[in-house]
Every structure is written in structure tokens, then in C-alpha cells.
Amino acid sequence: YNNQYLNETPGAIKTKVKTKRGETLTIEKVPLAGLSATVNRKLNRKPGQLAASMHISDSNGNKVGSFQVWREDKHTARGEWLSISKDRQGQGYSEAAIRGLIQASKKDQMITTIRLQVPSTSDAAKHIYSKIGFVPDTDHQNFESFGIEEWVYRLNK
């Protein structure tokens, strides 16, 4: 798989963020593999639309979660499929990962907006995103019939 696409998704290859408890997480881009990579290639996605998988590791280097991020268009970053290991949930990893995405996106002078898709039934995720500053995006197509909502964050640059 071609590593050049990693440079076309927002942010650095590696980002460090702190959790609310003060633990340092490392968020690192890795090329998509398996089914995700196959789907992207089959859809003939343009390089800027190809996703990178972001691995979230704790201060000991143990993987605690992952999500995907890509440049949806020239000014928009998109994060999806945020997943934290069940035994690590409730420890601030999701919030830190999303703050890391914001931090990385702010370094990209072109990005003005970050979008997330959120399961309609996930009150915990919506609470975290709301606390960070995301709001439901009523201007963008929602996929409510699939149980998914669009949320948006506008960067103040």
C-alpha cells in the first residue's frame, strides 16, 4: 500500500496528547490495511480522500484504540470509527483522541472544519463531542435512517 497517502490526511504522522488524567497518548498514522484498504482502492478514491488509520497508544506503548481520519475535501477533515478497548473506556482516551485530531487539523492551514459521524444511540460519544465543542450538523446530510448523525467542529484560526 502506498505510504504517500499518509501525508495527504490532516496532521502529523505522530501526535502526542494528554488525557484528562494526565497520561500521554500517542496517536500515530498507519496505512490502511485489510478490508478498509481494499474498499478505498475499489472505490478509486482520490489520494486526498484516502483514509489513514490512527492507532491510539497509552504511555506504555500499548494500543488502546483506533480511528480513521481523512481529508474529505480541501477544507474538511473527517474522523470516523473511533473505538477504545472495552477495558480502557471511561479513562479519557476518546476525548484525548478527538482533541488530538483537532490539534493536528489546526496545523494544516487549509482545514477549517472537522466532521464526525456519531451513532445516534451513543449518548456517551455525543456528550464527549459536545463538551469539546462539536455540534450536530443540520446543514450536512445525516444518515439517521442508518442510526448515524453528522457532527461538526469549526476551527478558529
Side-chain angles (χ1 to χ4, degrees):
Y1 196 72
N2 192 339
N3 285 337
Q4 80 184 43
Y5 297 129
L6 291 178
N7 295 325
E8 298 190 26
T9 57
I13 297 297
K14 222 179 226 188
T15 300
K16 300 259 187 206
V17 292
K18 293 244 186 228
T19 67
K20 61 186 175 188
R21 295 177 12 220
E23 183 177 8
T24 299
L25 298 185
T26 301
I27 302 174
E28 182 174 11
K29 288 183 192 175
V30 295
L32 286 180
L35 181 60
S36 296
T38 301
V39 168
N40 271 327
R41 282 194 297 270
K42 294 283 185 202
L43 291 174
N44 293 318
R45 292 247 171 116
K46 294 181 217 165
Q49 293 174 312
L50 285 169
S53 194
M54 309 297 283
H55 287 193
I56 306 164
S57 300
D58 65 15
S59 53
N60 295 320
N62 300 312
K63 184 178 171 189
V64 297
S66 64
F67 65 104
Q68 289 185 0
V69 63
W70 68 90
R71 185 186 300 273
E72 185 173 285
D73 60 38
K74 192 160 124 178
H75 301 290
T76 308
R78 176 175 285 285
E80 289 184 355
W81 303 107
L82 176 59
S83 172
I84 302 297
S85 302
K86 279 199 185 281
D87 63 326
R88 302 314 269 300
Q89 292 178 3
Q91 299 177 31
Y93 296 130
S94 292
E95 182 176 342
I98 297 300
R99 289 189 187 281
L101 174 59
I102 292 168
Q103 181 182 321
S105 296
K106 282 183 175 180
K107 292 178 184 175
D108 184 320
Q109 296 301 311
M110 298 298 287
I111 299 291
T112 59
T113 304
I114 301 172
R115 292 193 188 288
L116 301 173
Q117 285 188 336
V118 182
S120 300
T121 58
S122 183
D123 292 334
K126 291 190 265 187
H127 172 75
I128 291 167
Y129 302 152
S130 177
K131 184 166 86 171
I132 293 170
F134 281 84
V135 295
D137 187 358
T138 55
D139 295 332
H140 201 75
Q141 178 186 2
N142 280 307
F143 299 96
E144 290 155 349
S145 61
F146 297 110
I148 298 171
E149 298 175 16
E150 290 280 335
W151 283 54
V152 65
Y153 181 93
R154 308 271 184 222
L155 295 173
N156 298 325
K157 294 193 175 195

